Amino acid sequence: MATLTDVAKKANVSKMTVSRVINHPEQVRDELKELVYEAMRELNYRPNAAAKALANKRTQIIKLLILEEMDTTEPYYMFLLTGIANELDKYAYSLQLLTRNNVQIGDSDGFIVCGMRKEDEELIKNLDKPVVLFGHNEMGEDFIDSNNEQSMAKATQYAIEEGYENIVYIGIDIDEPFTHTREKGYTKVMADNGKEACTYTLGNRSRYSAAFIKEHWNEFQKNTLFLCASDRLAMGVVREIKEQNGNIPEDYGVIGHDGVFLDQIAHPHLTTLKQSITEMGAACARMVLKKVNQDGKPQGNQLFETELKRGGTTR
């Protein structure tokens, strides 16, 4: 079994450096950390989590609190969990998954919170350990999220450049920062290009967007693009346009948002704004551990750009 000394020799650093990488990674330069991590991987060295926890007066546990209902039809949370767990594993931390009903079960060093809504603010404020939110918030908590405003701005500009005369925005009807910033990205680019914005908000279900298209079909002329705040909404739009014998992408275009799974099973494949879910999960883990190691010091926010992933629903 490999020892701390073996790792130090392999990485050509001192035992003290290896120990610091394991116990206080925030004190070590990234280049040195990578050398040590590579040596640990090659030697299959696993730090003694119990000893580390005892030495640092820590639990070596981060709680992931999910406050929204998880959708079992797409692997959104599996990508997120993978990113968080893999990053925590580098620091000999384990992950405990919680819902709002068992948030105070067991101890931990910090929380990552997903799916928070405004009505959850009091719950978040009462958490007694460092907290990082996955998702934009306006209560001053550190967070990781996609750059939602820039994401929709990018898609709107793309639609204009592709020659779509009418660009209709279909948003999600919840009063949360991410919905407002996505719509803002659309309306700003439309105004900058001298175009009139046309926005609707619906429940985030494909059946609602399909019903909407069916009800208003005669109002939408050819050469219209529907920019949707989720892939789920976009799939409903595509389905109903086809039911109405509309031609995609020749006469009607559709762009979704998320790019996790639904865009790949849609026919034709959906043009979407792909989020970096796994990478954002890893960023949540890094931020909460840094916050733990700095006694709860605020870390600010980090936004990730989306990728406009072209499919068969746009020209």
Side-chain angles (χ1 to χ4, degrees):
M1 182 179 296
T3 66
L4 194 76
T5 301
D6 296 328
V7 174
K9 288 181 179 178
K10 185 75 174 177
N12 197 27
V13 298
S14 68
K15 288 173 59 177
M16 184 178 295
T17 297
V18 176
S19 179
R20 191 174 292 122
V21 167
I22 295 171
N23 294 300
H24 301 286
E26 76 283 357
Q27 300 177 4
V28 185
R29 298 196 318 272
D30 288 343
E31 310 91 87
L32 274 180
K33 280 192 289 190
E34 191 49 47
L35 282 173
V36 173
Y37 291 146
E38 181 62 27
M40 289 168 65
R41 284 192 291 268
E42 291 184 15
L43 295 171
N44 197 27
Y45 175 79
R46 304 287 297 178
N48 187 318
K52 178 181 178 182
L54 184 63
N56 294 326
K57 297 180 180 179
R58 302 269 175 82
T59 65
Q60 297 301 119
I61 295 170
I62 294 296
K63 290 182 178 182
L64 175 62
L65 174 57
I66 299 178
L67 295 175
E68 64 183 345
E69 182 179 344
M70 287 189 285
D71 185 354
T72 58
T73 63
E74 55 180 309
Y76 183 94
Y77 271 108
M78 285 307 300
F79 286 113
L80 182 67
L81 284 166
T82 297
I84 294 172
N86 285 345
E87 192 66 22
L88 290 179
D89 189 57
K90 295 178 182 178
Y91 304 93
Y93 262 84
S94 59
L95 183 65
Q96 181 182 359
L97 185 61
L98 304 171
T99 65
R100 65 175 68 246
N101 297 322
N102 58 6
V103 62
Q104 296 297 352
I105 294 178
D107 199 5
S108 71
D109 296 333
F111 289 87
I112 297 171
V113 182
C114 307
M116 191 206 85
R117 298 293 181 255
K118 290 181 179 178
E119 59 266 26
D120 298 314
E121 287 189 8
E122 194 63 31
L123 184 155
I124 302 300
K125 289 177 181 177
N126 288 331
L127 296 177
D128 59 354
K129 297 292 171 60
V131 174
V132 169
L133 300 185
F134 178 65
H136 192 167
N137 76 99
E138 295 175 339
M139 58 184 290
E141 292 287 351
D142 302 329
F143 71 83
I144 303 290
D145 202 354
S146 292
N147 190 340
N148 289 297
E149 181 178 345
Q150 179 58 31
S151 186
M152 283 304 185
K154 175 168 46 183
T156 307
Q157 189 63 45
Y158 166 76
I160 292 171
E161 291 172 358
E162 288 299 308
Y164 288 100
E165 185 64 28
N166 309 297
I167 304 171
V168 176
Y169 182 79
I170 302 179
I172 301 172
D173 67 349
I174 56 176
D175 181 18
E176 293 294 338
F178 82 93
T179 62
H180 300 317
T181 51
R182 288 183 189 180
E183 184 173 331
K184 182 181 178 182
Y186 159 77
T187 56
K188 184 177 186 306
V189 172
M190 292 291 281
D192 289 346
N193 285 271
K195 290 183 172 291
E196 184 177 353
C198 179
T199 65
Y200 301 89
T201 57
L202 306 172
N204 191 25
R205 293 288 185 272
S206 63
R207 65 178 181 272
Y208 297 151
S209 55
F212 169 79
I213 295 298
K214 182 177 182 179
E215 181 180 353
H216 297 274
W217 178 245
N218 291 329
E219 301 172 21
F220 300 123
Q221 302 174 2
K222 291 182 178 180
N223 204 23
T224 292
L225 180 133
F226 296 93
L227 179 55
C228 303
S230 74
D231 287 345
R232 195 177 299 174
L233 288 172
M235 286 187 71
V237 171
V238 170
R239 185 166 69 242
E240 189 57 34
I241 290 176
K242 290 164 71 175
E243 283 290 320
Q244 299 295 332
N245 294 316
N247 292 319
I248 301 174
E250 292 84 359
D251 297 329
Y252 298 93
V254 184
I255 298 177
H257 194 289
D258 292 337
V260 177
F261 174 65
L262 295 180
D263 60 304
Q264 299 172 49
I265 63 172
H267 181 74
H269 283 181
L270 188 64
T271 296
T272 189
L273 293 149
K274 182 177 177 59
Q275 299 188 87
S276 304
I277 303 298
T278 303
E279 291 80 2
M280 287 194 288
C284 285
R286 286 192 296 271
M287 183 178 285
V288 76
L289 291 183
K290 190 173 182 181
K291 198 168 183 178
V292 167
N293 289 321
Q294 295 182 3
D295 298 320
K297 179 182 176 182
Q299 302 298 314
N301 314 316
Q302 185 177 357
L303 297 178
F304 282 72
E305 300 302 325
T306 60
E307 173 195 354
L308 181 61
K309 184 180 175 185
R310 297 176 64 174
T313 59
T314 51
R315 295 196 288 257

